[in-house]
Amino acid sequence: MKTKLLFLLFFSFSVSFFSQEYIIGKVSSEFNTALQSVVIFNTRTDEKVLSDKDGNFMIAAKQTDELRFIKSGYDRNSSEISAQNFLAPLNIVLTKSPYEIAEIDLTFQATGNLKKDIKALDPPKKVVALNSDMKSYMRTPPTEVAPKLSTPSAFAAPNYNAGQVNVLGIASAVVGLIRKAKTPPITTANYAETQEFYRRVKNTVDLSFYTSKGWDEEQIDRFLIYADQNYSLAKLYRKNFDVSAIDMLMKLAYKEYIKTHKVGS
């Protein structure tokens, strides 16, 4: 008798569980990175679940239910469940919320110590190095060939080509115009182009230098925005993606960034 009762209870639980409909999906960022600990909230049932480290989740729902996706630092997203969502995984993308970089006060503050204050008024090291290079260049002897004595035109032999079309000169000018036309003009990147450039940098450029400093993805995103704003990376290289040049400029920006931001160096 007890065996039959347990069997009936187990059968009843199994029918109830498998009759429940579930939505399976994944949450990722706009850079195609899996997002962990995203809150998935069913507004009808008030049920809440969290996405795992790979961004995957499963939640009970019915058709026309509204699911909301919430994570700190990202814009909220929502999706209304349709019949198709029970046949294929539901993929949700969360966009990073915009944030402002703290303003840096570069105003000179006198300490009252004359020796220290005089040093603070010295020009930056980069300016001193540039001026030194310019002085050295100005002292360098000219590399151009000096003009030579030539026969005055009044005594020179007649030029039988005078008045004729310089075919080679015209051909050279045409080739130059064609090359110039093929070179894409440098224009300011719009929002979509900038985001695509950031995504390509993170997928192409070796960022191990920054991750070795203990930086997470959010810190790298903030630094990438800083480097772009100060060195116009997206403007210069979104069309002509030069990995070496981008990496070099990011290293230059890093030296300035760690001086003004409290991050691992």
Side-chain angles (χ1 to χ4, degrees), residues 238-257:
R238 72 184 189 280
K239 295 181 180 179
N240 182 21
F241 197 85
D242 189 334
V243 175
S244 298
I246 294 171
D247 182 59
M248 181 189 68
L249 292 178
M250 288 178 65
K251 293 294 175 54
L252 290 176
Y254 171 80
K255 294 181 179 180
E256 302 171 0
Y257 184 77

Side-chain angles (χ1 to χ4, degrees), residues 198-217 220-221 223-224 246-247 250-251:
Y198 291 168
R199 186 180 298 108
R200 189 173 181 185
V201 168
K202 295 175 67 177
N203 292 333
T204 306
V205 178
D206 182 9
L207 301 179
S208 60
F209 172 79
Y210 308 98
T211 55
S212 67
K213 306 297 181 182
W215 288 15
D216 56 21
E217 182 182 359
I220 292 177
D221 289 341
F223 167 69
L224 187 57
I246 294 171
D247 182 59
M250 288 178 65
K251 293 294 175 54

Side-chain angles (χ1 to χ4, degrees), residues 55-153:
N56 299 317
F57 69 90
M58 182 176 71
I59 188 171
K62 293 184 177 181
Q63 191 170 341
T64 72
D65 281 0
E66 180 184 358
L67 299 183
R68 294 180 182 175
F69 301 84
I70 307 167
K71 183 175 177 61
S72 177
Y74 290 83
D75 292 340
R76 294 188 179 187
N77 199 351
S78 62
S79 178
E80 183 176 332
I81 300 304
S82 64
Q84 183 64 28
N85 297 133
F86 294 101
L87 303 177
L90 176 61
N91 294 317
I92 298 296
V93 176
L94 297 185
T95 304
K96 200 89 171 171
S97 300
Y99 55 87
E100 295 183 358
I101 298 177
E103 182 179 356
I104 303 173
D105 186 7
L106 300 179
T107 306
F108 171 70
Q109 300 289 338
T111 63
N113 187 320
L114 185 58
K115 292 183 178 181
K116 291 184 178 180
D117 292 343
I118 290 177
K119 291 182 180 180
L121 295 175
D122 289 340
K125 293 182 180 180
K126 290 184 179 180
V127 175
V128 174
L130 177 61
N131 290 336
S132 177
D133 292 341
M134 290 297 295
K135 290 179 180 179
S136 177
Y137 171 77
M138 295 300 293
R139 294 194 186 100
T140 304
T143 57
E144 297 181 358
V145 180
K148 297 181 179 180
L149 294 175
S150 60
T151 305
S153 59

